[in-house]
Each structure stands twice: as structure tokens, then as C-alpha cells.
Amino acid sequence: MTTTTTPPARTSSRKLLRFTAHYLEMVLAMLVGMMAIGPLWPSEWVVRPDVAAMTMAIDMTVAMALWMAIRRHSWPRTAEMCAAMFLPFVLLLVPYWLGAISGSTLMIAGHVIMFPLMLAAMLWRRADYWH
């Protein structure tokens, strides 16, 4: 007679720790992407704040998506997280092009909005991140 045992369920504090660690891992991957890929862009391109914002979003997204693939997240979850990273910059390009905000405001606001959007995506799909 064989008996099967199931592993004990993780506690809520353990799940919260894993959730938080995953968020921080993505942020770290984004930083690595900026440092590793950023210098590869032609310097003439990144002089313009709009181009610099989009190239930085690309750098962060590539590294974060690679990390999510390593962590075996589904492509739909990865695409949602990539959208959460690009959306603030894309939306802020219009007021920048209209002269309503400066280049530094574009960069700062894009990042300030991006991080809560990433957290919102994780909370929305909590079952994929809270384990």
C-alpha cells in the first residue's frame, strides 16, 4: 500500500513574500536591461527625450520579459506586464509632443506610473503570482 502526501499549504506571509520577491525580481531585471542594453543605442537617438523614453522602455521590457520566461510565466502574463511598462510612456508622448510636459516630466511620470501599473497587473492576475 502506497501513501501519497501533499505538501503543506504555504502560509499567507510566505505567499506575500514570494509575491513581493517576484515584483522586486522584475524591477531588478529592468535595471539590468537598462544597464546592459541601453549603451547599445546610438547616442544621437537618445538625445531626444521621447526616443530616450521609448528605448529605455524597450531595454527594461526585454530584460523583464526574458526573466519572466526563465521563471516560466505564460506569454499572456508576460505581454500584460510588458503593456504595463509601455503604456505610461506611450500615453505621455502626446502631451510631450504638444509641449504640455517637459522631457524630464515624461521620464519621471512614465516611471512613477509604470510601477503601480505593474503591481496592478500582478494583483489582477493574483493567482499567477500569489503562490
Side-chain angles (χ1 to χ4, degrees), residues 2-114:
T2 60
T3 59
T4 58
T5 59
T6 58
R10 289 192 174 107
T11 64
S12 291
S13 59
R14 177 83 174 154
K15 290 178 182 181
L16 176 61
L17 180 64
R18 288 178 56 90
F19 182 90
T20 304
H22 180 69
Y23 182 85
L24 294 175
E25 287 172 8
M26 288 193 304
V27 172
L28 181 61
M30 292 159 51
L31 292 170
V32 169
M34 287 190 310
M35 290 186 291
I37 303 171
L40 303 177
W41 295 102
S43 58
E44 306 83 45
W45 291 12
V46 294
V47 172
R48 291 186 46 174
D50 51 352
V51 177
M54 294 311 293
T55 57
M56 185 180 299
I58 291 168
D59 300 343
M60 292 185 296
T61 301
V62 166
M64 187 265 325
L66 177 61
W67 184 247
M68 287 185 76
I70 290 169
R71 294 281 309 246
R72 297 188 178 168
H73 285 273
S74 68
W75 285 112
R77 296 303 80 79
T78 303
E80 289 170 358
M81 198 58 65
C82 293
M85 294 173 65
F86 267 97
L87 186 62
F89 293 106
V90 170
L91 294 176
L92 290 168
L93 284 176
V94 174
Y96 171 74
W97 289 331
L98 293 173
I101 62 172
S102 68
S104 58
T105 301
L106 167 68
M107 279 294 214
I108 293 168
H111 285 88
V112 167
I113 296 167
M114 174 187 22

